[in-house]
Every structure is written in structure tokens, then in C-alpha cells.
């Protein structure tokens, strides 16, 4: 048997390639939208993708199942469980789709895949139990999707908080409790292969380890220690993080059927640059952005965190223009497509930006380490854009905490009559904050480039 976990850092999402090496057939579970990842992995393993499935209608990324099935000709297995409102709308018109329910099973070569309906995170949620039949009749593990993670369980409130279906959180929590009780009766030796890792908004305390066992989770996972349904419901709903705005669109897109990803991404000439009603996403370094940028541009440095923050600040329907190199722009196009941002009209290279700014307005600001701001800290309004948990672990005496994801809705809390100093933990989020603030404030603004780490070190040195 072949087994490979394929993890996407930006989404904190795990998908799986499982193959029968005797027959050369392979199954992909919960693929994201970059089909090349799975095609390349299967080719490297000498396998042919013959089956694709997913555990549920995802809320945090655009599913790649439909596109991957079109490319490979693989059979697409989709849940028919749950409520009528949350069925795959495209399934009935696609002859290559097989709907699955609790108790169903199918073979991938010599591998047996069994379906267990486990509602709670979503009504249609299923998990898959894997048996390597040449090795024996006992199953070896379960692909738990967003039911069970390492150290946590899936959140049951997304239909209400993200999709706006009122009154579903408590009902989902009760279903989740029953689903966990059901799988608790399965053998302790089963390996647990979850759909997400640390950093995902699909739970509140996900562990970073890539897999676990059911027996271990029953010993240490808080959810299995809750024997009373009412206590479990209260605990699982308490403290769930606010989902990013794009989650609402994801449920609809994945239910109705994602379109094929756009492939064209032209480099824009000076004559082709049109910024009216476009959102400009600047992929350059924080230093380059601070030195000169287009007013109103959003600083989202290309990297693993790109789509995580784009999900907060780039509406799915936005017409987008990128600033960056060809390589950075192409990578960003792929990453942004993961969360449904498809209307990218092209990119402006750094050299072309320089030419553009010669005849068009620009903006700039200072990036200064904490050691060079010591005299200004007492006179300025200090804005800390870290999470409340980070702030509670240590902060400047006068610093005001407004988490980055809440910043656009809380601009009124920031005075416009005194200098402004902005910082995060280490300088990764504060450039995003500066790009959000610059269009709204005209006073002197400075970014603390090394964040609380630099400020804390400065405070320690002063007390030596």
C-alpha cells in the first residue's frame, strides 16, 4: 500500500493520496485546487488516480475534487448524507459522480474504503475507514476530515457563523457529540488522519502533529472527556474563533461546483494598468512596500500566509491586480484561487511600478526598529495588532490592542490627532496593518519593524 499526506501550509489543510501498488490505482481524499500537487505525487509513485472523494462541503478552501476528476477521469465519490440544503448540486448531472451514504464501501485496487456518516461539523460530513485487505480484515485507520483532529474536534457553528443559517450551531454540536460517541466504539489502534493542522480556523485548539491514534485521542482529547451532551455543547461552542469572511462564499462554491481555475495571468503594460474598482495586492517585501507603493494597495507579501490574510481583506468577487515578479504573481494566483479569488486581471512588475509611480500618486512610510523608537513611544498612539492572547502574554504599557483581522471595522478607535506607531509580534503582520491604515489617516505613521520582540528586548536591556 502507498500512503502520502499532502499538506498545504497556507490553508493548514491535509489531503491524502492512498494507492494500491499491486494494481496501480490511487485515491485522493480532500484535494485542494492545485491539481498538479496530486498529479505529480501520483506520477512519482507510479500510480493512476482512479478515485477522488471528500469528507464534506468545505468552508475554508475551494475543493479541487471536480477539477481533478475532469483531468484524470477518476470516479468522484460524494456524500449524499445530511440535509437537502447541503447536497452537491452538480452531482445529479455528472455521470462520473457516485453518491455515498453511511455503510457504503468501495475498493481502490485491494484497498477497502468504508463510509461512516458523522454529522456535526456539517450535516453531510462523512469519514472513511481504510482496510489494506492483503494485510488482513482489520481496518488500519480513519480519515476523519473535520470531525476529529489531533487534540481537538471540528467546530459545529460554521453553517450559522459563515453561511448565515440561524439556529444550526447547537444542533450541529449535538450531532457532533453523537458522532464522537460513535467513533469512540471503534478499535483504539486505528490511526487518525485529520483534515487540518494547527492554524486552521475549523477548530479552536488543533494540534500540530500530523496524525494520531483513536486510543490516544480518547485519553487526551478534551472532547472525549465530556460525557454529558449539554456540557459538550457548551464547551465546543465556547471560544470558537471568528471565521474569515470568505468562508461564507466557500460553502456555496463547493456545494454548487467550483469552476475550472483561471490560467491566464498577463503582465500589464503602462497602457493596460487600470486601477478603478480594482483591488491592488502588493506582493513585494515590506521594505519595498514602505518605500513606495500605490495608495490603497494591500500589502500581502507572497508566502505561506498570503491566502490566510487575503481571506480577511480581499472579497471573493474582487477584481484584483497584483504587484510582483512573474514568479511571485503566478504563485499568488494559485494561492488566491484556493479561496475563490479568481478575478485576477494581471500583474505589474516592480520595474513597471517604478515607471507608473513617476506620473501617478504614491505613498510611503517609515519602518523603524524598536531601539530607534524609544523616545517616540511615550508621545505616540501605539497600536498593537497581535491577537488578544499574544497581547495578554506581554505588551507595552500604553499599547492599545486591535487584532489585525478586526482592524477595518475598528478604525474609529484610533485617534487622528497624534503620531501613530504600529506593531505586531515580529514584523509580519504590521505591514498589512499599515496598508489598511494609510488610506484613512494623515498623521505621521511609523511601523515598528521588529515588533513586540524588538520592544521586549529593548525593555529587558533597559533593566539590566
Amino acid at each position: 500500500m502507498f500512503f502520502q499526506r499532502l499538506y498545504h501550509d497556507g490553508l493548514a489543510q491535509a489531503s491524502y493520496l492512498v494507492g494500491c501498488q499491486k494494481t496501480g490505482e490511487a485515491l485522493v481524499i480532500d484535494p485542494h485546487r492545485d491539481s498538479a500537487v496530486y498529479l505529480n505525487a501520483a506520477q512519482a509513485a507510479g500510480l493512476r488516480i482512479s478515485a477522488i472523494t471528500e469528507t464534506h462541503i468545505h468552508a475554508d478552501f475551494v475543493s479541487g475534487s471536480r477539477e481533478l476528476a475532469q483531468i484524470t477521469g477518476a470516479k468522484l465519490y460524494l456524500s449524499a448524507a445530511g440535509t437537502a440544503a447541503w447536497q452537491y448540486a452538480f452531482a445529479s448531472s455528472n455521470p462520473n459522480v457516485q453518491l455515498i451514504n453511511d455503510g457504503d464501501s468501495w475498493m481502490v485496487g485491494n484497498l477497502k474504503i468504508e463510509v461512516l456518516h458523522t454529522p456535526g461539523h456539517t450535516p453531510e460530513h462523512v469519514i472513511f475507514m481504510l482496510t489494506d485487505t492483503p494485510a488482513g480484515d482489520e481496518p488500519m485507520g480513519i480519515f476523519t476530515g473535520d470531525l476529529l483532529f489531533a487534540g481537538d474536534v471540528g467546530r459545529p457553528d460554521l453553517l450559522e457563523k459563515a453561511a448565515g443559517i440561524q439556529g444550526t450551531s447547537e444542533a450541529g454540536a449535538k450531532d457532533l457529540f453523537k458522532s464522537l460517541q460513535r467513533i469512540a466504539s471503534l478499535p483504539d489502534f486505528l490511526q487518525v488522519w485529520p483534515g487540518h493542522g494547527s492554524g486552521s480556523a475549523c477548530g479552536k485548539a488543533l494540534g500540530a502533529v500530523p496524525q494520531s491514534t483513536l486510543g490516544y485521542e480518547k485519553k487526551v482529547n478534551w472532547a472525549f472527556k465530556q460525557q454529558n451532551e449539554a456540557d459538550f455543547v457548551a464547551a465546543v461552542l465556547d471560544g470558537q474563533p471568528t471565521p474569515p469572511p470568505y468562508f461564507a462564499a466557500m460553502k456555496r462554491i463547493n456545494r454548487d461546483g467550483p469552476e475550472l481555475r483561471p490560467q491566464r495571468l498577463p503582465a500589464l503594460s503602462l497602457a493596460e494598468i487600470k486601477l478603478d474598482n480594482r483591488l491592488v495586492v502588493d506582493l513585494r517585501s515590506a521594505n519595498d512596500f514602505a518605500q513606495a507603493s500605490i495608495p490603497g494597495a494591500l500589502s500581502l507579501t507572497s508566502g505561506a500566509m498570503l491566502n490566510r490574510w487575503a481571506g480577511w481583506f480581499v472579497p471573493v468577487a474582487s477584481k484584483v491586480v497584483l504587484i510582483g515578479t512573474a514568479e511571485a504573481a503566478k504563485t499568488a494566483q494559485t494561492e488566491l484561487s484556493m479561496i475563490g479569488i479568481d478575478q485576477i486581471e494581471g500583474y505589474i512588475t516592480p520595474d513597471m511600478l517604478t515607471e507608473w509611480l513617476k506620473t501617478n500618486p504614491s505613498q510611503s512610510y517609515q519602518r523603524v526598529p524598536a531601539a530607534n523608537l524609544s523616545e517616540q513611544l511615550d508621545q505616540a498612539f501605539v497600536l498593537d495588532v497581535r491577537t488578544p492572547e499574544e497581547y495578554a502574554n506581554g505588551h507595552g504599557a500604553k499599547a492599545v490592542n486591535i487584532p489585525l483581522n478586526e482592524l477595518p471595522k475598528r478604525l474609529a478607535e484610533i485617534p487622528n490627532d497624534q503620531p501613530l506607531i504600529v506593531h505586531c509580534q515580529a514584523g509580519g503582520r504590521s505591514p498589512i496593518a499599515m496598508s489598511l491604515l494609510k488610506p484613512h489617516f494623515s498623521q505621521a505613521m511609523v511601523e515598528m519593524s521588529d515588533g513586540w520582540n524588538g520592544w521586549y528586548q529593548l525593555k529587558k536591556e533597559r533593566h539590566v
Side-chain angles (χ1 to χ4, degrees), residues 147-154 203-207 217 221-223 236 240:
L147 169 69
L148 176 63
F149 305 122
D152 200 6
V153 293
K204 55 183 174 180
L206 281 68
E217 291 304 311
N221 192 309
W222 70 268
V236 77
Q240 291 288 358

Side-chain angles (χ1 to χ4, degrees), residues 423-441:
H423 78 87
C424 59
Q425 185 71 27
R429 286 164 284 178
S430 49
I432 306 174
M434 292 295 284
S435 69
L436 294 170
L437 293 167
K438 283 294 288 183
H440 301 281
F441 295 91

Side-chain angles (χ1 to χ4, degrees), residues 397-426:
K398 294 177 58 180
V400 175
N401 180 224
I402 301 179
L404 178 58
N405 63 298
E406 299 178 14
L407 190 55
K409 295 181 179 180
R410 297 177 61 181
L411 295 176
E413 299 176 34
I414 302 171
N416 58 12
D417 58 354
Q418 62 185 110
L420 181 61
I421 295 175
V422 181
H423 78 87
C424 59
Q425 185 71 27

Side-chain angles (χ1 to χ4, degrees), residues 235-460:
V236 77
L237 294 178
D238 180 55
Q240 291 288 358
T242 302
Y246 79 93
F247 272 33
M250 294 303 94
K251 294 293 291 186
R252 173 185 53 78
I253 289 171
N254 288 325
R255 179 192 63 190
D256 296 345
E259 301 296 331
L260 293 177
R261 284 183 303 133
Q263 298 297 322
R264 183 174 177 271
L265 184 65
L268 301 177
S269 67
L270 281 175
E272 294 172 315
I273 297 174
K274 298 177 182 178
L275 301 183
D276 291 344
N277 300 315
R278 273 73 170 175
L279 189 134
V280 179
V281 175
D282 197 320
L283 306 170
R284 297 174 301 150
S285 71
N287 284 335
D288 288 342
F289 182 82
Q291 288 173 11
S293 60
I294 293 175
L298 179 65
S299 176
L300 289 177
T301 305
S302 184
M305 298 297 288
L306 172 65
N307 57 20
R308 193 168 300 182
W309 289 114
W312 283 102
F313 306 125
V314 182
V316 168
S318 297
K319 295 180 179 179
V320 176
V321 172
L322 303 174
I323 299 177
T325 64
E327 181 180 3
K330 185 61 180 175
T331 299
Q333 181 189 38
T334 299
E335 290 299 306
L336 293 173
S337 76
M338 300 280 194
I339 58 173
I341 300 170
D342 286 347
Q343 296 190 64
I344 301 177
E345 298 188 343
Y347 67 97
I348 304 169
T349 65
D351 288 343
M352 191 63 66
L353 175 66
T354 300
E355 290 300 311
W356 167 264
L357 293 177
K358 287 178 180 179
T359 55
N360 290 276
S362 67
Q363 69 179 24
S364 62
Y365 62 86
Q366 290 182 302
R367 301 191 79 225
V368 181
N372 295 345
L373 288 174
S374 57
E375 295 182 4
Q376 301 177 43
L377 288 169
D378 291 334
Q379 286 78 42
F381 181 88
V382 181
L383 175 62
D384 183 334
V385 298
R386 297 177 299 160
T387 65
E389 293 77 17
E390 290 172 310
Y391 183 80
N393 287 333
H395 58 84
K398 294 177 58 180
V400 175
N401 180 224
I402 301 179
L404 178 58
N405 63 298
E406 299 178 14
L407 190 55
K409 295 181 179 180
R410 297 177 61 181
L411 295 176
E413 299 176 34
I414 302 171
N416 58 12
D417 58 354
Q418 62 185 110
L420 181 61
I421 295 175
V422 181
H423 78 87
C424 59
Q425 185 71 27
R429 286 164 284 178
S430 49
I432 306 174
M434 292 295 284
S435 69
L436 294 170
L437 293 167
K438 283 294 288 183
H440 301 281
F441 295 91
S442 58
Q443 72 264 41
M445 294 173 59
V446 178
E447 179 201 348
M448 188 184 296
S449 58
D450 49 359
W452 173 246
N453 288 348
W455 193 358
Y456 180 70
Q457 183 62 35
L458 179 65
K459 290 163 70 74
K460 286 203 316 182

